Amino acid sequence: MTTDPAPSMCPLLNETRHLIDCLGYIDSTTDDDASMKKLVQMQIQQQMALMPTFDAEAYLAYLPAPAELDFETKEMKRVAAGVALNAINTAKYRVAAPSTGLLKKSQDLEAQVAAWQTATNNAMVAIEHETSRILNLEMANKYGANRWKLHVGVLSGLHDKAVSELDESKAASESINVQRKQEQTLNADKLWSLERKRDELIRKTQYIETACEVMEREVKRLKTA
């Protein structure tokens, strides 16, 4: 006898486990029997109708809720409300002198100085940005190769671990299938014998019922004669 499988964490599987009933290694009567195939399909549809309906919002409710970050919460609310994302202001990254028209319109010396100061600040920001880019490129040129080699090594280790876990899962699944096949094939003769005995009893029952009906009709005929 096989032991019952360990209950799954998913409640949907636990609720429908009792609906799964199949002897795949010896149930071969459907291969060439169209009526049997139709009957099997009908039973499958009946079993599927008994299964609970799929709820897209609640089917993962049994899992613990992920930790929420304030930024993610705000973004989710913004997306849910349909609010557009604020565009990034790129004006401060442009290096350009104040327009001649702006300087001509502004007769205030302080306003002109402020305009030039803004342009100067933008130029300083751009210079700092380019300096940072140069520094990053120099660091990437010096350390990037080794850094990527290390990263590739980590990814390779993760890949090997995933492959190992996959192989273990496949081996466990194959072991279960082999065990099921052995159990089913060892008991196949007994099951087929019981099936033949059942069919024989059904035929005998039908024969007896037919004989009883004939005798009842004969008794009624004799009573009315």
Side-chain angles (χ1 to χ4, degrees):
M1 297 295 292
T2 59
T3 58
D4 293 335
S8 171
M9 291 179 60
C10 180
L12 180 61
L13 293 179
N14 293 331
E15 292 175 5
T16 58
R17 187 179 298 279
H18 66 285
L19 299 176
I20 302 174
D21 182 15
C22 177
L23 300 177
Y25 294 101
I26 61 175
D27 288 342
S28 58
T29 56
T30 61
D31 294 341
D32 302 318
D33 192 342
S35 61
M36 181 60 68
K37 287 183 179 180
K38 184 177 180 180
L39 177 61
V40 170
Q41 290 297 326
M42 182 181 67
Q43 291 179 348
I44 291 175
Q45 293 176 0
Q46 291 175 351
Q47 291 178 355
M48 292 180 65
L50 296 176
M51 298 179 69
T53 56
F54 176 74
D55 188 350
E57 296 183 356
Y59 84 106
L60 294 179
Y62 69 96
L63 295 175
E68 293 187 358
L69 299 178
D70 184 60
F71 173 75
E72 293 180 350
T73 303
K74 291 181 179 179
E75 281 300 299
M76 293 296 292
K77 290 181 179 179
R78 179 189 64 78
V79 173
V83 179
L85 181 66
N86 293 332
I88 299 176
N89 183 14
T90 60
K92 62 181 180 180
Y93 300 109
R94 292 196 295 265
V95 180
S99 63
T100 306
L102 176 63
L103 295 177
K104 287 182 178 180
K105 289 180 181 179
S106 177
Q107 301 298 328
D108 187 359
L109 181 60
E110 292 183 359
Q112 295 183 6
V113 171
W116 278 107
Q117 186 63 49
T118 300
T120 303
N121 292 338
N122 290 345
M124 293 177 65
V125 170
I127 292 173
E128 185 65 26
H129 173 65
E130 293 299 329
T131 302
S132 298
R133 290 187 62 189
I134 293 172
L135 178 61
N136 289 335
L137 290 174
E138 291 177 349
M139 293 179 64
N141 186 45
K142 185 175 182 180
Y143 304 107
N146 293 332
R147 179 66 182 83
W148 277 108
K149 288 179 181 178
L150 178 61
H151 181 63
V152 170
V154 172
L155 293 180
S156 178
L158 293 175
H159 174 266
D160 294 341
K161 182 180 179 182
V163 170
S164 176
E165 292 178 352
L166 177 61
D167 292 340
E168 291 177 359
S169 298
K170 288 182 177 179
S173 176
E174 183 65 21
S175 176
I176 293 174
N177 290 333
V178 170
Q179 182 181 1
R180 288 176 176 173
K181 183 176 181 179
Q182 291 176 348
E183 292 176 349
Q184 292 181 22
T185 52
L186 286 175
N187 293 279
D189 293 338
K190 183 178 180 180
L191 290 172
W192 288 331
S193 175
L194 292 173
E195 184 177 2
R196 288 192 296 269
K197 185 179 293 185
R198 182 206 62 181
D199 295 339
E200 183 179 354
L201 291 173
I202 290 175
R203 286 193 295 270
K204 287 183 178 180
T205 302
Q206 292 175 345
Y207 175 78
I208 293 172
E209 288 178 350
T210 303
C212 289
E213 291 177 358
V214 172
M215 292 183 66
E216 288 177 356
R217 288 196 297 269
E218 183 65 18
V219 169
K220 288 182 180 179
R221 186 185 66 80
L222 293 174
K223 286 183 178 180
T224 56

